[in-house]
Amino acid sequence: MSKLNITGVKPGSTSLKLTAGKITKTVPITVKSRNLLSYGPASGNGLTATVNTDGSLHVTGTATGQWRGVVWTFPCPVQGTVKLSGTSIAGLSFNIKCLDAKGQQLGDQMNLGNSVMAIPAGTVSLFLNVISTEATPTAKVGDLRIQLESGTTAHDWMRPGGF
């Protein structure tokens, strides 16, 4: 029996047709993004985020205060160790918190300063937060490419699969 390895090039769905003698089998294949985040357009606390065609976030506005901004909560797609990476906009930061079934934070938040962490046991959802770091927030316009992926190595940014 021989082994077949397939490497996905980009997210999407296709099928693989295998033939051995008179037997043919079609196998569906789905390539998912390694970026585990899930977000869509959102606004809050003076900031508005839209999703660019490449999947990055376009952020505009002036936050209503320091540590305030726009948030997303979505089901946690993995367990184990994850790596957070991305680009930023001066005066804005992003972090991810792990939440239990009651919406309570588990463990420390992930940010670029502690970008490799284990997802705590009991995590059911993730909370993505884009916030102002300025004591007196100023107007912002820019794009963020935030990536959360399994493992300890940051790869080139890839659009999230879930938005």
Side-chain angles (χ1 to χ4, degrees):
M1 182 190 271
S2 56
K3 181 179 177 182
L4 180 65
N5 291 318
I6 299 171
T7 302
V9 176
K10 64 181 184 176
S13 295
T14 189
S15 61
L16 179 64
K17 186 176 181 180
L18 304 169
T19 303
K22 294 181 180 179
I23 302 172
T24 298
K25 179 76 174 174
T26 300
V27 179
I29 297 177
T30 301
V31 176
K32 296 182 178 181
S33 174
R34 82 176 142 264
N35 191 341
L36 303 170
L37 296 178
S38 182
Y39 52 68
S43 61
N45 299 301
L47 295 179
T48 298
T50 56
V51 181
N52 293 319
T53 56
D54 71 352
S56 61
L57 286 171
H58 183 70
V59 181
T60 59
T62 304
T64 56
Q66 187 175 30
W67 315 125
R68 300 204 186 279
V70 64
V71 302
W72 297 262
T73 302
F74 54 94
C76 182
V78 297
Q79 296 298 312
T81 302
V82 293
K83 170 81 175 167
L84 179 64
S85 61
T87 60
S88 59
I89 299 169
L92 293 180
S93 182
F94 55 86
N95 61 62
I96 295 178
K97 298 174 183 174
C98 298
L99 305 177
D100 66 15
K102 295 181 179 178
Q104 300 299 307
Q105 183 175 335
L106 298 170
D108 295 329
Q109 71 183 23
M110 290 177 264
N111 54 46
L112 291 178
N114 63 340
S115 62
V116 174
M117 293 183 66
I119 300 286
T123 298
V124 297
S125 59
L126 299 177
F127 178 90
L128 171 61
N129 198 15
V130 175
I131 55 174
S132 174
T133 58
E134 299 170 323
T136 304
T138 58
K140 303 296 173 204
V141 176
D143 296 327
L144 295 172
R145 287 176 179 79
I146 306 170
Q147 181 154 290
L148 181 69
E149 56 190 306
S150 292
T152 60
T153 303
H155 296 90
D156 289 341
W157 185 81
M158 178 182 276
R159 72 183 292 135
F163 65 84

